[in-house]
Amino acid sequence: MIKKLIGRVFSGKMFGGRGKSAAQVIPFKEHGVAREQISPCALSVTDTLQAKGFAAFVVGGAVRDLLLKREPKDFDVATSATPEEVRGLFRRSRIIGRRFQIVHVMCGRETVEVSTFRAGHEVSDKGDDSASGNERGKTDEQGRILRDNVFGNQQQDATRRDLSINALFYDPSTQQVFDYHGGVADLKKKRLRMIGDPVQRYREDPVRMLRAVRFAAALDFEIDPATRKPIRELADLLQNVPPARLFDEMLKLLLSGHAVETVKRLRKDGLHHGLLPLLDVILEQPLGERFVMLALKNTDSRIRGEKGVSPAFLFATLLWHEVLAAWKSIEKGGIPAIPALYKAMDQVMLAQAEMLAIPRRFGGDMKEIWAMQPRFEQRSGRRPYRLLELPRFRAGYDFLLLRCESGELDAEIGEWWTQFQDANETTREQMLKADSGPAKKRRRRRKPKLPADAADAPEV
Ligand code: ATP
Ligand code: MG
C-alpha cells in the first residue's frame, strides 16, 4: 500500500490522472460569465456545499453554453462531497444510480444533478501503472467501461470527461473558470477535441462518438482530425452498448433541435450503419430519405419554437419505411392487408428492440399511428367520422401529411383530410366518396383471420 502510494507521488499522479499540468484559472474579466447567470438551484447547491467545506463547481454543458453565450439546458454540479454527504445536506434530494451514483437536488421545478469527483479509467500515459487494477473501472473485452465509480479529485474528474469543452468548471463564488484541458481555447476555435487518446476513450465508451457528432452539429463546431478519424473505424463498437443507453442517446440527438444536421454528420462519419437499423435502410432509398428528413426538419422547428414533440411520433416516422417494406412483402405472401400490417409492425418493432430498446410506452403510440394510416384512405360512409373521433387522430393526420409531402402518397388525400376536419356538415356530406360495395364484403370475409392483438384493429 505504502509502496504504491510512494510510487504514485513519484510518478506525479497523486493529483491528477494523467499527470497533466494543473488548471488554467480564468478570471471573470476574461470570460464574463457572472454568478447571476447560474440558476438559483445550482447556486444554492454550490453555496451550501462550499459552506460545509466541500469543493463545488458548476460543470459540463452549462459552463460550455454560458461561455458560448447560449442558454444552458440544465445545470450540473461536481463536488468533493460523496453522494451520501450531498444527500444529507438537501432535504429534497435523492441518490440515483445507473452507471454511477449521482444525487438529484430539487428546488421548485428545477433539478440539479450533483456528481462526486470521479477518477476516470486511467489511460494512455506512458508507463502508467499507478492506477492499481482494483482502482480501475471494470471493462469488457473491447475496452468498454462497465463500472466507473471510483471517486477522485477535481483534476481527475476533468480528465475523465469526454471533450475538452465539456471539462470546464465554474466556481460561482469567485466567478473563476478552471480549465484543465484547453477547453476555452477550443471553444474559441470552435473545435471539438476528445481528452486523452480518442481511440481509447471511444473504446471505453463508444457513446462518446455519438456525443462528439451531436455536439458538432448542435454547436456548428469542427471535430479535430485526431478525434474524428477513428470514428469510422470504431463505429461498430456501438453494437456493444446496452440498447437502453443507446435509446437515451438517440433521443437526445433527435430532440436536440439539430437532428437534420446531426443525422447528416452521422452519415458522413459512417456512424449510422448498425446504429439505427432504420436509418441504414431508409436513408438509402430516396422516398424513405425524404420522409425521414422531412420528419426531422419538422421536429427541429418544433423544438426551436419550443413546441412539444412526441418521441413516439418521431420513432414512428423513423421506422415507417421499414414497416412499409415489411408490410408489402407479408402481403405478397398472401396475407390480407390489415393483418399483414399488424404483422409488419410487430416484426419491425422486434427487430429494432435488440439494438435500440424503444420503451413500451412509446411502442403502443407508434403502432396506433401506423395502424391509422390505411384508414385515411377510406373516405366513404361513416368511416371518416369515426377516424376523426379517435384521441390520437391529430398524430395520425400529421403523419399522413408527412407521407404526402414526401411523395409517398398523392397530395390530394392530405388536402382532403385538411378540408374535411374543418368543413361543416353539408360540405362533409358532399366530400364523402361513393361507397365501394365489394370492400364491405371483403371485410366480412377477412375478419375472422385478424390476429388476436388486432381485436381493435382499424376498420377497412
Ligand atoms: P447537454 O447540453 O446535452 O446536457 P452536456 O455536456 O451537459 O450537454 P450531459 O450528458 O448532461 O452533457 O453530461 C454532463 C457532463 O458529463 C458532460 O459535459 C461531460 O463533461 C460529462 N459526460 C457526459 N457523458 C460522458 C461520457 N460518455 N464520457 C465522458 N464524460 C461524459
Ligand atoms: Mg447537461
Side-chain angles (χ1 to χ4, degrees):
M1 183 68 206
I2 300 275
K3 233 168 121 186
K4 207 190 320 168
L5 193 66
I6 292 171
R8 292 182 77 187
V9 172
F10 280 109
S11 67
K13 305 284 162 143
M14 189 67 172
F15 303 108
R18 287 167 195 152
K20 289 268 162 61
S21 57
Q24 202 191 334
V25 183
I26 303 159
F28 170 76
K29 67 175 186 339
E30 278 176 38
H31 60 68
V33 175
R35 176 183 162 86
E36 292 70 38
Q37 289 172 263
I38 307 299
S39 77
C41 192
L43 279 183
S44 118
V45 170
T46 52
D47 288 351
T48 308
L49 284 164
Q50 289 178 356
K52 294 286 173 190
F54 297 111
F57 300 89
V58 175
V59 72
V63 185
R64 175 196 70 219
D65 291 344
L66 287 171
L67 289 168
L68 288 172
K69 310 216 181 316
R70 291 170 173 243
E71 197 186 331
K73 216 170 57 201
D74 45 33
F75 287 83
D76 298 318
V77 167
T79 178
S80 58
T82 63
E84 285 74 20
E85 286 167 332
V86 177
R87 169 74 192 90
L89 286 173
F90 302 94
R91 201 171 47 81
R92 289 190 61 212
S93 67
R94 58 162 190 258
I95 296 182
I96 59 159
R98 271 190 305 205
R99 289 169 71 231
F100 41 83
Q101 285 199 325
I102 55 174
V103 187
H104 275 174
V105 178
M106 278 85 66
C107 334
R109 299 179 64 186
E110 195 187 341
T111 299
V112 168
E113 218 169 86
V114 185
S115 53
T116 303
F117 291 149
R118 291 202 315 277
H121 184 71
E122 308 249 329
V123 286
S124 82
D125 270 350
K126 296 132 230 123
D128 177 7
D129 59 357
S130 59
S132 67
N134 57 8
E135 263 183 293
R136 289 168 182 247
K138 283 232 161 62
T139 61
D140 70 5
E141 60 276 20
Q142 272 86 25
R144 189 169 66 86
I145 295 185
L146 301 174
R147 207 164 42 77
D148 179 20
N149 50 6
V150 181
F151 294 148
N153 60 30
Q154 185 185 354
Q155 182 170 355
Q156 288 169 318
D157 192 69
T159 306
R160 63 103 187 156
R161 291 175 185 274
D162 52 357
L163 300 158
S164 67
I165 61 164
N166 285 347
L168 298 165
F169 296 77
Y170 177 78
D171 182 345
S173 47
T174 61
Q175 304 190 114
Q176 289 169 321
V177 169
F178 292 75
D179 179 3
Y180 289 89
H181 293 283
V184 171
D186 284 339
L187 277 180
K188 284 188 186 138
K189 287 192 179 145
K190 301 180 92 181
R191 180 172 71 182
L192 292 177
R193 203 166 40 82
M194 190 61 56
I195 296 167
D197 170 26
V199 171
Q200 204 146 3
R201 302 304 310 281
Y202 295 147
R203 286 194 179 281
E204 289 170 8
D205 181 6
V207 164
R208 288 173 186 150
M209 298 189 277
L210 286 181
R211 288 176 57 88
V213 176
R214 167 159 69 90
F215 289 124
L219 303 172
D220 194 20
F221 273 32
E222 281 309 314
I223 307 181
D224 189 57
T227 298
R228 180 161 180 211
K229 196 166 161 280
I231 293 182
R232 189 172 285 279
E233 289 135 47
L234 299 178
D236 282 352
L237 291 177
L238 282 168
Q239 316 263 5
N240 303 327
V241 176
R245 175 132 193 265
L246 217 47
F247 180 81
D248 283 354
E249 203 51 43
M250 278 310 296
L251 210 54
K252 277 193 194 173
L253 190 156
L254 296 170
L255 302 180
S256 65
H258 303 272
V260 169
E261 186 54 32
T262 312
V263 167
K264 280 189 188 159
R265 291 198 190 215
L266 285 176
R267 294 172 77 188
K268 218 162 83 188
D269 286 330
L271 266 185
H272 69 292
H273 275 292
L275 164 66
L276 284 173
L278 40 124
L279 285 187
D280 263 12
V281 189
I282 294 159
L283 295 177
E284 270 132 44
Q285 357 160 325
L287 261 189
E289 150 142 38
R290 227 177 110 65
F291 182 74
V292 166
M293 285 304 178
L294 271 173
L296 295 180
K297 203 170 122 201
N298 215 17
T299 311
D300 283 350
S301 61
R302 287 188 69 90
I303 289 184
R304 292 186 202 182
E306 297 194 3
K307 289 192 209 142
V309 295
S310 136
F313 183 90
L314 188 55
F315 279 98
T317 59
L318 292 179
L319 287 168
W320 174 240
H321 276 255
E322 284 221 353
V323 172
L324 273 184
W327 188 11
K328 248 186 242 154
S329 94
I330 295 170
E331 253 192 308
K332 262 197 200 138
I335 297 182
I338 297 306
L341 170 60
Y342 274 76
K343 233 179 149 153
M345 297 192 312
D346 285 340
Q347 195 174 302
V348 169
M349 290 298 282
L350 197 73
Q352 64 72 47
E354 286 165 21
M355 187 68 192
L356 196 76
I358 295 183
R360 254 174 219 284
R361 65 180 190 284
F362 296 142
D365 285 355
M366 288 166 63
K367 286 186 178 178
E368 220 175 305
I369 293 170
W370 292 333
M372 245 187 266
Q373 296 310 306
R375 298 181 65 174
F376 283 103
E377 295 183 43
Q378 313 271 310
R379 291 180 278 163
S380 60
R382 301 304 300 161
R383 291 166 187 150
Y385 293 93
R386 284 198 285 267
L387 192 54
L388 272 181
E389 279 159 21
L390 291 185
R392 313 257 320 139
F393 170 81
R394 182 76 208 183
Y397 162 75
D398 285 344
F399 197 90
L400 175 81
L401 291 187
L402 278 178
R403 293 174 65 206
C404 293
E405 213 180 327
S406 72
E408 181 208 327
L409 282 184
D410 200 329
E412 181 271 332
I413 188 167
E415 286 155 15
W416 190 93
W417 278 98
T418 306
Q419 206 188 337
F420 189 76
Q421 281 175 74
D422 297 328
N424 61 29
E425 201 39 51
T426 334
T427 318
R428 278 184 178 178
E429 290 297 329
Q430 287 163 354
M431 287 179 74
L432 290 175
K433 306 277 177 191
D435 208 344
S436 45
K440 269 190 187 164
K441 265 196 214 151
R442 252 204 322 276
R443 186 180 77 209
R444 271 200 295 276
R445 272 211 312 276
R446 281 173 187 174
K447 222 171 186 174
K449 288 189 193 162
L450 286 180
D453 67 343
D456 53 353
E459 302 173 43
V460 279

